[in-house]
Structure formats: C-alpha cells, structure tokens
Amino acid sequence: MKMKQIIAIFSILLFHASALSAQKNSHAPRYHVLDQEIERSASYDAAKEHKIDSLRQLLNTTRNRQKAHRLSFELGEQYHSFVNDSCLHYYKKAIGLARQIGDRNTIFYDKLMLINQYIYSSNHKIALSELEGLNAEELPDSIISRYYLTFGSLYEYMGNESSGDEREHYHLLAQAFNDSAMATAGKDSQLYYQEQCSRLIRLNKIDEAAEVCNQWAQSLDPEERNYAVMAYYQAEIASHRGNKEERKYWLVESSINDIRHCTKHQMSLWNLAQMLADEDDSNRSYKYVEHSWKCVQKFNAGMLTSLISPVFTTINDSYNNRLQRANRRMTILAIAAGLLALGLGVSYGFTRRRGKLLEKARTELAENNQKLSTLNGQLSTLNTQLSSLNGELSTSNAQLSEANRLKEEYIGQFFSICSQYIDKLDKYRLKINRKIIAGQSNDVIKITASEQLREDEQKELLANFDRIFLGLFPNFVDRFNALLEPEGRITPHGQQLTTTLRIFALIRLGIEDSASIAEFLNYPAGTIYNYRNRIKVKSLGERSQFEDQVKRIGMD
C-alpha cells in the first residue's frame, strides 16, 4: 500500500463525522386523548348498560340457584363503580342466594364486597355493624386479607371525618388492620401492592413507595381496571416529591382508564381539575370537573359527592367570575365600539362634504398603500427566508464545530500512526544496515524475501481502520444490517469489522471503485466485486439503490 493512498484514506475518515441526537423522555399530559375519551364516555356507558341488560335478562330467566348467584354477583361487580344503589341491590341479592345454597365461604366473600360498597357510599355505621358481625375465625384463608383491609379502609375513612383524639384512634386502628392485611396478602396480589403503596406514602417513605408502585405497574396491562388505581398512587408519589408535571401526567392516565372502564367515582379527574384551577386553566378545569360531577351524580355515593362538591363549587365560581369579567370587558368594548361608530359617522359626513377635494388624494393614498402592502409582503418573505437561512447557518455551524472537533481528534491519531510508521521504517533500515556491515547478506535476503512484515503491517492498518471508522460511525453495523434480510445480517468480532463490512465501510467513505478497495484490503478486484454482489442479493429494498442507502448512513 502506497503512503499517499494511506494518507488519502485517513483524510476521508477525518471529514465524514456525524452528530447523534438524544431523545428527551417527556411526561407531557395527554390532554387531547383525555378530551376525546370524555367525548366517547356516553358510548362506553351505553356498551356497559347493554352488557348489564344482557346479564339481567339471563338472571330473570334462570332457575338454577348457583347460576342466579353468579349472575347477581356479576351484576354487582358491573355496577360496583357505575351505579352505587344498583350495586348494593345485587350484592344483597347474591348474599340471599348464597344463603339458600348454603355456601358459607361465598356468603362471607359477598358480604365483604357489600361492606366495601357501603364504605364507598359513606354508610360507615352500616359497614361497621356488618363487619363486626363477621367472625374472623370462621373466614377462609383466601379472603382473610380482604377482611382486614376492609376494616382498615373503614377506619381510615372514619378517621378522616373525625378530629382530635378520635381521629388518631381511628387511624391507629386502620394501621393495625392494614398491617394484618399485609401479613396475610400474597406478595404479588393487587391488595398487597395497593396497601403497601398507601402505607409507605403515609409513612412518607416516598422512594420505597415509588419502587413498589413501579413493580406494580410492571405487573399490569395499561388497559386493566387496576391500572387507574396504580396511576393514582403514582400521582400521589409525584405530589409528595413536588413534581407537578408528573403528577398531572399520572392523573391524566388514571382518568383515561377510569372513563374507558365507566368508573364513576373519578377521584383522579377531579384532582386534576383542582390542579388546573390552581394554575388558572379555568376552561379545562371546568370541563373536567363538570364531567366528574356528572359521573359522581350517576354513581350516587354520598362520600364522593361531599368530596367533590367544594371543588366543583370553587371551580364553577372561578369560571363564572371569569365569564363575568369577560362580559364586563365585552360591555366596555361594545360602548367603545358604539362611540367609535358615532365618530365614524361624523367623520363620514365630513368626508362626504369634502369628497371631491379628497378623491384624488384617497386614490393616490390607496395606490401607495397597495404598494406598501406589496413591499411589506416582500419584506416579510425576505425576513422568513433570512430566518430560515439563519437557522440553516446555525445548524451548519454546529455540524462544522462537531466536525472540527472530530477532525482535531483523528488528525492527532493519523500523525501518531504516521510517526509509528516512520519509526518502524527507521528501525528496519538500521537492522538491514547492521546486517550488511556485518556481512550477513544471507540474513538480509531472508528478511527482505519474507512476507511476514507486510502481513503484520496490513493487519495493523486494518485494525486502525476499524477502530477509527467505528469511532466516526458507531451505529454503522446496526444501520447496515437494517438494510439486509435477517439471514443476511453480519455480526462483527468485537470491534473488528469483517471483510464485507470493511468493503461497505470504504463505500460509505466514498471509495466505490472495486480496484481501489481491492488494493486497500489486499484482495483481487474480482473478489471484491463478488462480495458486493452477494450482499446486494440479500438487500431488503431495491438492489440498485443498496449502495446509495449505505452512503447515507450517519447523515440523518
């Protein structure tokens, strides 16, 4: 290989650097998706009511008690987060059928579901009475954790509605029952994840709560109903960390899931509405709280109504105040417009009287205005073009700066390699010189006749080529393989390119002639030609465009 060709190859490598850009992970709330889901909520409700009607018809026609119990319980589940009164009705019906069947375990489970619904609807006295009527020792192991968690939830709500020592007393009871629930719940159950998140947040162990919540998220499909509950806890964690944007993101995700599952006790949506109201986004907050209020009214649970009512009133007042301010501004503008119209009328009369004198001036003025408008349009176009050119210049400067940085780095490597070649040649010269002086001509003949030196230098040259090329184009192998069918893709040996990859690396650098490539790689030109054709056959796209696609690697 001639020294001039080596210099040419390294010069090409130095001037073909590309810049990579990183993507920024965003938690931007999907408001547009949420708005679309609110528009579709009526169709979701209709589909759910159709399913409920089908179940109700089956229940009315069946005479089998077990099937009637199953259908009644399923109707209770369907109404659980949809219509509270209907949910209570069908849970009670299921309990009555379970008693007729004589299945104690089913009676216990159905009662726990009924009690949980009482808690949702703020009937805490009834819920407490029903819970105290259950004997924990008679409960099967499969529902004991739900029994403890129900007690914990009840006392948590009762504590939140109390004050002073009574509040503290209920919260201690809630903590005790929740601890018992955690001790009996399965480690991967939804009850375990939910209570563990709630407990860690109450203890202000936010990092641990986030770790548990992330594990919970990995166990869920985003379309599952429990995903909304998990997202709500993610929002609570973000709130404790003071991250408002992430909190809004998770409240939006939870609200979207709630709407798709026809969940009417929408805690997430009215929390989001309250946040937006605090940020003075009154239009969106009013839209969300209005939808949430309609859902709560349909669900008909006293607890949620009492919670959302103050928020709805505050946002509604804020929205009305904004409308009133807008109306006042419109009134002022209307008066101003009326005065302006009056002034224009007077001016018009005066203008009419002096019309003949000013007609020529108006015509000239109109012509000048038209010319000025045309000039302004041209100026605007030029400004736009100038702005575009400035943007392109800024991008070019950034790319040039990066190219200069890489050029400085690899010029240093190039001169280092050249220096090494000079040192090797000098050592080789001294070695031959010493042999000649010593009269060891046979040794000189053996050394100069051997191909080993050339082979060693060829290997080192290719190793340096691989290292520098992959430094310039770190994604070359992946992008090259993406152009090929799976069975034709090539896996390099670590940081060492294969012969095929070196051929197309040289093509990427603009060396397309098979003879030049063959000379650099020390192969016959026919072999290089065959390598190129074998790879083109495995191309995913048009074979004629394959090498052009290779040349564009690293340019986007």
Side-chain angles (χ1 to χ4, degrees):
M1 175 64 67
K2 297 179 181 178
M3 183 61 69
K4 288 184 179 180
Q5 290 175 320
I6 296 174
I7 293 173
I9 290 172
F10 277 97
S11 298
I12 292 171
L13 286 173
L14 295 174
F15 285 97
H16 285 78
S18 62
L20 300 176
S21 62
Q23 294 181 344
K24 183 180 178 183
N25 184 24
S26 174
H27 274 314
R30 299 193 298 159
Y31 291 131
H32 65 287
V33 177
L34 178 55
D35 294 341
Q36 289 174 353
E37 294 305 306
I38 289 175
E39 294 297 323
R40 297 174 183 147
S41 61
S43 63
Y44 293 143
D45 288 352
K48 190 174 186 72
E49 287 169 352
H50 177 73
K51 182 177 181 179
I52 288 172
D53 288 340
S54 298
L55 290 171
R56 205 156 37 210
Q57 289 175 11
L58 289 173
L59 177 62
N60 291 335
T61 57
T62 186
R63 295 183 179 181
N64 183 285
R65 287 180 179 176
Q66 281 82 3
K67 186 175 180 181
H69 170 269
R70 179 179 60 79
L71 291 170
S72 296
F73 186 82
E74 189 173 352
L75 280 165
E77 290 288 278
Q78 290 293 326
Y79 277 121
H80 165 64
S81 57
F82 193 51
V83 179
N84 181 62
D85 292 341
S86 297
C87 176
L88 294 173
H89 168 75
Y90 282 105
Y91 276 153
K92 289 175 183 178
K93 188 177 183 66
I95 292 170
L97 289 166
R99 285 197 180 106
Q100 293 176 24
I101 296 168
D103 188 341
R104 291 177 58 81
N105 290 348
T106 302
I107 293 171
F108 287 139
Y109 186 82
D110 292 355
K111 278 191 173 184
L112 281 178
M113 299 306 294
L114 175 65
I115 291 167
N116 273 286
Q117 201 67 24
Y118 277 133
I119 294 172
Y120 276 128
S121 56
S122 250
N123 292 318
H124 296 157
K125 289 184 179 180
I126 298 176
L128 183 60
S129 175
E130 291 285 343
L131 267 178
E132 290 175 342
L134 295 177
N135 187 350
E137 296 179 355
E138 298 179 358
L139 297 178
D141 293 341
S142 60
I143 63 172
I144 191 67
S145 59
R146 185 177 291 275
Y147 168 78
Y148 289 135
L149 189 61
T150 302
F151 251 124
S153 298
L154 174 59
Y155 284 130
E156 187 75 27
Y157 284 125
M158 293 175 70
N160 291 339
E161 294 178 0
S162 304
S163 60
D165 293 340
E166 188 178 27
R167 177 186 181 89
E168 182 67 22
H169 170 69
Y170 283 134
H171 280 168
L172 288 173
L173 287 174
Q175 184 62 53
F177 277 104
N178 287 334
D179 289 343
S180 298
M182 293 298 297
T184 55
K187 295 294 184 182
D188 295 327
S189 68
Q190 298 300 315
L191 289 176
Y192 173 84
Y193 282 126
Q194 183 174 342
E195 180 50 36
Q196 185 77 322
C197 286
S198 178
R199 184 179 67 85
L200 291 171
I201 291 172
R202 285 197 304 270
L203 295 175
N204 204 31
K205 296 181 179 180
I206 303 306
D207 290 339
E208 294 180 34
E211 184 177 352
V212 173
C213 207
N214 289 336
Q215 293 174 0
W216 187 8
Q218 291 174 4
S219 71
L220 294 172
D221 187 302
E223 297 302 320
E224 288 185 51
R225 171 66 191 94
N226 283 321
Y227 190 85
V229 182
M230 180 280 301
Y232 180 79
Y233 279 105
Q234 290 278 23
E236 289 297 294
I237 291 168
S239 177
H240 280 76
R241 286 176 168 173
N243 191 331
K244 291 184 178 180
E245 290 305 311
E246 188 168 351
R247 185 188 181 208
K248 283 191 288 187
Y249 170 82
W250 285 112
L251 287 175
V252 168
E253 295 301 307
S254 180
S255 299
I256 290 171
N257 187 284
D258 278 339
I259 293 171
R260 288 173 178 172
H261 287 87
C262 303
T263 300
K264 298 307 178 184
H265 47 85
Q266 294 182 354
M267 299 284 286
S268 297
L269 189 59
W270 67 262
N271 269 290
L272 177 62
Q274 191 169 25
M275 283 191 73
L276 294 173
D278 293 340
E279 295 175 0
D280 203 27
D281 190 351
S282 57
N283 287 335
R284 192 178 292 277
S285 66
Y286 181 80
K287 177 180 181 179
Y288 291 167
V289 80
E290 182 182 35
H291 179 76
S292 183
W293 178 251
K294 290 177 181 178
C295 290
V296 169
Q297 286 181 317
K298 182 176 180 64
F299 184 65
N300 193 25
M303 178 192 67
L304 291 175
T305 303
S306 62
L307 283 173
I308 199 173
S309 180
V311 179
F312 181 76
T313 301
T314 301
I315 295 175
N316 187 56
D317 290 345
S318 174
Y319 186 76
N320 288 333
N321 288 336
R322 183 173 180 179
L323 285 179
Q324 290 175 2
R325 289 195 299 271
N327 287 335
R328 284 196 294 269
R329 287 195 294 270
M330 289 297 294
T331 301
I332 293 171
L333 289 174
I335 294 172
L339 293 174
L340 180 61
L342 179 62
L344 288 174
V346 173
S347 298
Y348 177 74
F350 179 75
T351 302
R352 287 282 292 175
R353 286 194 299 269
R354 302 186 57 187
K356 292 182 179 181
L357 296 175
L358 297 177
E359 185 65 30
K360 184 178 180 180
R362 282 201 304 271
T363 302
E364 292 176 355
L365 180 60
E367 292 174 353
N368 290 333
N369 285 338
Q370 183 61 38
K371 292 178 182 179
L372 181 60
S373 177
T374 302
L375 291 174
N376 284 336
Q378 295 172 350
L379 180 60
S380 177
T381 301
L382 290 174
N383 285 334
T384 301
Q385 294 173 348
L386 179 60
S387 176
S388 177
L389 290 173
N390 286 335
E392 293 174 1
L393 180 60
S394 176
T395 302
S396 298
N397 287 337
Q399 293 174 344
L400 181 60
S401 175
E402 179 67 9
N404 287 337
R405 182 186 69 77
L406 292 172
K407 180 170 66 178
E408 291 171 3
E409 177 182 348
Y410 289 109
I411 283 177
Q413 295 189 29
F414 165 69
F415 282 120
S416 175
I417 293 172
C418 288
S419 176
Q420 291 174 12
Y421 273 116
I422 292 170
D423 288 343
K424 289 180 181 179
L425 288 173
D426 191 52
K427 289 178 182 179
Y428 187 73
R429 178 187 63 79
L430 291 173
K431 182 177 180 180
I432 297 298
N433 188 45
R434 284 195 297 270
K435 294 286 185 181
I436 293 172
I437 291 172
Q440 299 173 349
S441 58
N442 290 333
D443 291 346
V444 172
I445 292 171
K446 289 180 181 179
I447 292 172
T448 55
S450 173
E451 293 286 334
Q452 186 62 42
L453 177 63
R454 185 180 185 283
E455 292 175 359
D456 292 343
E457 292 301 321
Q458 179 74 14
K459 289 180 182 179
E460 185 174 352
L461 173 63
L462 293 178
N464 285 329
F465 174 83
D466 294 347
R467 176 175 56 80
I468 294 173
F469 182 81
L470 290 175
L472 286 169
F473 303 95
N475 293 331
F476 178 80
V477 175
D478 292 337
R479 297 290 296 276
F480 180 77
N481 279 330
L483 300 174
L484 300 174
E485 295 176 348
E487 61 272 13
R489 292 172 184 171
I490 302 169
T491 303
H493 307 293
Q495 292 298 311
Q496 181 179 355
L497 297 176
T498 64
T499 300
T500 301
L501 288 173
R502 288 192 187 111
I503 291 171
F504 284 94
L506 290 168
I507 291 173
R508 171 62 186 87
L509 296 176
I511 303 174
E512 302 178 50
D513 181 52
S514 292
S516 298
I517 296 172
E519 185 175 1
F520 178 70
L521 297 179
N522 197 25
Y523 278 98
T527 301
I528 300 300
Y529 178 80
N530 290 335
Y531 268 109
R532 293 168 76 166
N533 282 337
R534 280 201 299 268
I535 288 297
K536 289 178 184 178
V537 171
K538 300 171 183 177
S539 169
L540 286 172
E542 292 291 333
R543 298 178 188 177
S544 60
Q545 299 178 4
F546 178 74
E547 292 188 358
D548 290 335
Q549 291 175 325
V550 172
K551 293 176 190 176
R552 290 197 293 271
I553 291 177
M555 301 181 80
D556 49 7

